[in-house]
Amino acid sequence: DERIVAEIMRRRFFPALITHKAWEGFHFAGHEIRITEATDCYGAVVWPSALVLCYFLETNSKQYNLVDKNVIEIGAGTGLVSIVASLLGALVTATDLPELLGNLQHNVLQNTKLKCKHQPRVKELSWGIDLEKNFPRSSCHFDYIMAADVVYHHPFLDELLLTFDHLCKKDTVILWAMKFRLDKENQFVGKFQTLFDLDVISNFPSLNITLYKAMRKGRMKA
């Protein structure tokens, strides 16, 4: 745990010179990624769960080959996970609340333009609202749903579960990094397991973060 966590955290770096615009740097998928944050908003900060998920995607790119795969990230925040998935060849839709889309779009465009096989898209997604209108089941099929630290102290956990349920087809794989904090958030895992088979991929006790793989219950098994 300590060795891998140290390697994950070494992927983050800070500018040598302070400029008028604050940013953090990351090394993933063979690229230097610069992320602009907004410290006045939880959703516009890079949390350790995002680094854990990015590290997993990079170091398991053969087993989880993202080339030409259709990927959606919910609660994309600063966009780091979406950017890394795009650099690894995926067709990515990065989603979040309307007030976060400006910063998200800036980070995604700055770090992927002319660098990716597929230019990622940024789209509004308020959990549980207008899901069929904005992501119709008949035409939206995602190979992967990605989420990093989307479960925290907020009143929208039922809407989050509804969103997972709507976006997930029988063959969709959910990759979800979660930091355990309070009992209310921890109880979400139990609710989640009523709809999805959940497996632990990696566990990092020093960060209190678990990385999960999930698929819909009742799917056809090989």
Side-chain angles (χ1 to χ4, degrees):
D1 170 60
E2 291 181 0
R3 180 183 61 81
I4 297 176
V5 167
E7 170 60 25
I8 292 172
M9 293 307 163
R10 277 197 293 269
R11 301 304 184 94
R12 171 182 252 156
F13 67 93
F14 299 92
L17 298 175
I18 298 176
T19 64
H20 68 282
K21 181 178 288 188
W23 59 272
E24 285 188 57
F26 303 87
H27 290 292
F28 286 109
H31 290 267
E32 177 183 298
I33 301 168
R34 295 190 177 191
I35 295 293
T36 301
E37 297 181 316
T39 56
D40 60 340
C41 179
Y42 287 125
V45 176
V46 177
W47 299 101
S49 292
L51 274 68
V52 167
L53 184 49
C54 289
Y55 181 81
F56 175 81
L57 295 176
E58 180 189 76
T59 55
N60 293 273
S61 59
K62 290 185 179 180
Q63 182 179 358
Y64 294 87
N65 185 354
L66 297 184
V67 177
D68 297 331
K69 296 297 192 298
N70 202 7
V71 172
I72 186 169
E73 184 186 5
I74 61 174
T78 63
L80 180 61
V81 172
S82 289
I83 291 165
V84 172
S86 298
L87 293 171
L88 291 171
L91 174 58
V92 176
T93 302
T95 70
D96 215 313
L97 296 170
E99 59 267 28
L100 297 174
L101 295 187
N103 189 58
L104 175 59
Q105 179 71 67
H106 168 77
N107 285 328
V108 167
L109 188 61
Q110 175 178 265
N111 290 286
T112 62
K113 189 175 182 180
L114 303 179
K115 298 177 183 178
C116 298
K117 185 175 183 181
H118 306 286
Q119 184 61 37
R121 297 171 291 192
V122 173
K123 189 171 181 178
E124 176 184 342
L125 173 54
S126 299
W127 297 339
I129 298 176
D130 292 332
L131 293 175
E132 181 59 29
K133 175 183 175 183
N134 296 323
F135 299 91
R137 290 179 184 270
S138 60
S139 58
C140 287
H141 182 282
F142 297 105
D143 299 296
Y144 290 94
I145 299 171
M146 297 186 184
D149 219 7
V150 293
V151 180
Y152 49 90
H153 187 63
H154 59 67
F156 304 111
L157 294 180
D158 289 341
E159 289 81 359
L160 174 60
L161 185 59
L162 182 65
T163 301
F164 273 123
D165 183 42
H166 180 84
L167 297 174
C168 189
K169 295 291 196 338
K170 287 187 176 182
D171 57 346
T172 301
V173 175
I174 299 172
L175 295 175
W176 166 31
M178 175 176 173
K179 182 176 179 67
F180 285 84
R181 296 183 177 91
L182 304 172
D183 286 342
K184 180 181 179 182
E185 289 79 19
N186 299 349
Q187 291 168 8
F188 178 81
V189 175
K191 290 185 177 182
F192 187 87
Q193 287 179 291
T194 63
L195 297 177
F196 302 97
D197 292 321
L198 191 63
D199 296 313
V200 174
I201 297 177
S202 300
N203 195 32
F204 302 97
S206 62
L207 296 174
N208 212 21
I209 291 173
T210 300
L211 179 60
Y212 294 107
K213 171 187 174 183
M215 295 186 75
R216 179 177 291 284
K217 286 183 178 290
R219 67 190 185 281
M220 295 293 291
K221 296 184 179 180

